[in-house]
C-alpha cells in the first residue's frame, strides 16, 4: 500500500520515520517534525492505512501495517532509518522489526523509539469514542461546533475532542467527511490491542517514552520490555498522559534528541 506522507528536512541527513497512533495522522506531527528536522534529520511523517490521506482497506492489523512500512522504506530507498511510533504507531514499528530482521547488507532500521505503548495485549477501550464519532450525522452536519457538542456526550475532554475532530474535513462538494475509515476501525478495533506476532529479541538501540499519568506502560511491564528489547531504556515524562508529544512537546523532543545524540556518539 502506498501511504501518504509529509516530508521535511535535508535529504542528505539521516532518515527518521514517524507513525501516529489510532485516530491520528501525520498532520498531528507537523510542528515536532520541523523541530526534529532542524536538528539534522530527514523526517517522514506517515499516515497509516485507514487514517489521514492514506488508502483505505479491509485489512487492519499489525502485520499489514508493518508490511506497509516495509514497502514505504523500500520505495523510498531509505537506509537504516530511525523509527518513531506513538501508541498504535509504536506497535506498528515494533511489529515491523519483528517481521523484517536486519541483514548485513540491508539494515531495515537503526534505532527504535516507542511512545507510550508496550508490547502486550490491551483490552478494547475506545468504545465510547467510536460511538461518539458514529453519532455525528455527516449528511446533516453544518459546522464543527455541532460535531463537538455531539461528541461531548461520549468524550468529556475538550483536548481529546479537538484531536479527534481534526479528522473532520469538507469535501470539494462542501459536505463533511472523515479522514478515517470508521467502519473498518470499529470492526477491527480488537486487533489494535493484540500482542505482537512473531516475537523475537531486538538488540538495536531502543527508547520507550511514557507519560507518568498514562498507565499504558506500567512498571510491571518493564521486565517484558527488557526481555524483548535488551538494549532499551524507558524514560518517563512527568505530568503527562498518553499523548506525551502533544502535552509536553519540548520535553518530548529533548528526550528523543538526547537518545539519538547519545547513540550517534557511542
Amino acid at each position: 500500500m502506498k501511504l501518504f506522507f509529509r516530508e521535511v528536512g535535508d535529504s542528505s541527513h539521516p532518515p527518521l520515520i514517524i507513525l501516529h497512533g489510532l485516530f491520528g495522522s501525520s498532520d498531528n506531527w507537523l510542528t515536532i517534525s520541523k523541530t526534529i528536522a532542524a536538528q539534522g534529520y530527514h523526517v517522514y511523517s506517515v499516515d497509516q492505512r485507514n487514517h489521514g490521506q492514506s488508502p483505505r482497506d479491509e485489512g487492519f492489523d499489525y502485520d499489514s501495517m508493518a508490511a506497509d512500512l516495509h514497502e514505504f522504506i523500500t520505495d523510498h530507498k531509505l537506509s537504516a532509518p530511525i523509527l518513531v511510533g506513538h501508541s498504535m504507531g509504536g506497535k506498528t514499528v515494533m511489529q515491523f522489526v519483528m517481521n523484517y530482521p536486519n541483514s548485513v547488507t540491508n539494515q531495515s532500521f537503526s534505532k527504535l523509539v516507542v511512545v507510550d505503548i508496550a508490547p502486550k495485549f490491551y483490552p478494547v477501550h475506545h468504545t465510547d469514542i467510536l460511538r461518539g464519532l458514529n453519532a455525528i450525522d455527516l449528511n446533516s452536519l453544518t459546522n464543527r461546533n455541532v460535531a463537538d457538542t455531539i461528541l461531548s456526550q461520549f468524550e468529556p475532554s475538550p483536548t481529546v475532542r479537538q484531536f479527534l475532530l481534526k479528522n473532520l474535513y469538507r469535501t470539494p462538494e462542501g459536505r463533511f467527511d472523515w479522514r478515517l475509515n470508521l467502519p473498518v476501525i470499529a470492526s477491527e478495533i480488537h486487533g489494535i490491542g493484540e500482542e505482537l506476532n512473531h516475537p523475537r529479541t531486538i538488540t538495536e538501540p531502543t527508547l520507550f517514552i511514557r507519560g507518568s499519568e498514562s498507565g499504558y506502560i506500567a512498571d510491571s511491564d518493564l521486565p517484558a520490555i527488557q526481555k524483548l528489547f535488551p538494549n532499551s531504556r524507558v524514560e518517563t515524562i512527568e505530568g503527562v498522559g498518553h499523548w506525551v508529544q502533544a502535552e509536553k512537546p519540548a520535553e518530548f523532543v529533548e528526550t528523543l534528541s538526547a537518545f539519538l545524540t547519545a547513540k550517534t556518539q557511542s
Side-chain angles (χ1 to χ4, degrees):
M1 179 177 287
K2 307 300 181 185
L3 301 177
F4 175 85
F5 67 97
R6 303 174 190 273
E7 183 179 2
V8 61
D10 193 316
S11 60
S12 67
H13 291 158
L16 186 150
I17 301 172
I18 298 174
L19 295 186
H20 61 81
L22 185 65
F23 305 120
S25 72
S26 59
D27 183 64
N28 306 140
W29 288 83
L30 283 174
T31 301
I32 285 180
S33 293
K34 292 176 182 177
T35 304
I36 296 171
Q39 298 179 2
Y41 297 95
H42 187 199
V43 181
Y44 298 85
S45 185
V46 179
D47 285 350
Q48 297 202 78
R49 60 171 55 206
N50 296 316
H51 288 72
Q53 298 181 61
S54 281
R56 300 184 175 195
D57 193 88
E58 293 296 318
F60 190 50
D61 56 74
Y62 287 113
D63 281 333
S64 297
M65 289 187 276
D68 292 342
L69 178 56
H70 181 258
E71 182 176 347
F72 183 86
I73 291 171
T74 301
D75 285 351
H76 292 269
K77 299 179 172 60
L78 302 181
S79 176
I82 299 158
L83 303 178
V84 180
H86 171 247
S87 195
M88 181 184 77
K91 272 202 172 176
T92 299
V93 297
M94 286 190 284
Q95 190 64 70
F96 169 80
V97 302
M98 300 294 171
N99 290 5
Y100 300 93
N102 294 345
S103 68
V104 174
T105 58
N106 181 25
Q107 189 177 8
S108 60
F109 78 106
S110 60
K111 308 174 186 76
L112 189 67
V113 180
V114 179
V115 185
D116 214 57
I117 200 79
K120 69 174 185 178
F121 169 78
Y122 291 86
V124 174
H125 54 282
H126 296 295
T127 304
D128 285 345
I129 285 177
L130 286 168
R131 288 175 58 224
L133 295 176
N134 282 301
I136 299 170
D137 183 1
L138 298 179
N139 292 320
S140 63
L141 185 65
T142 55
N143 59 68
R144 290 176 178 273
N145 288 337
V146 172
D148 183 67
T149 299
I150 296 170
L151 190 56
S152 69
Q153 301 172 46
F154 302 87
E155 172 50 59
S157 168
T159 302
V160 174
R161 294 200 306 272
Q162 182 183 30
F163 163 75
L164 294 169
L165 291 175
K166 279 192 172 185
N167 290 293
L168 198 61
Y169 78 104
R170 282 193 183 272
T171 67
E173 296 74 30
R175 65 181 293 271
F176 281 102
D177 204 352
W178 293 112
R179 292 200 187 277
L180 291 169
N181 190 348
L182 280 179
V184 167
I185 291 174
S187 66
E188 302 299 325
I189 191 66
H190 60 279
I192 300 305
E194 289 298 320
E195 293 184 66
L196 297 177
N197 297 320
H198 327 296
R200 66 182 185 89
T201 301
I202 304 298
T203 58
E204 286 78 8
T206 302
L207 173 66
F208 286 81
I209 302 176
R210 64 177 176 173
S212 65
E213 309 308 306
S214 168
Y216 269 69
I217 301 179
D219 288 345
S220 58
D221 298 322
L222 302 186
I225 289 174
Q226 189 62 34
K227 182 178 180 179
L228 278 179
F229 300 90
N231 191 14
S232 70
R233 68 173 188 258
V234 178
E235 296 285 351
T236 303
I237 297 181
E238 297 296 329
V240 299
H242 185 53
W243 282 276
V244 183
Q245 71 283 356
E247 295 179 61
K248 287 193 175 180
E251 285 89 338
F252 173 80
V253 171
E254 181 181 2
T255 302
L256 172 62
S257 299
F259 169 72
L260 298 180
T261 302
K263 293 302 178 181
T264 300
Q265 292 176 345
S266 62

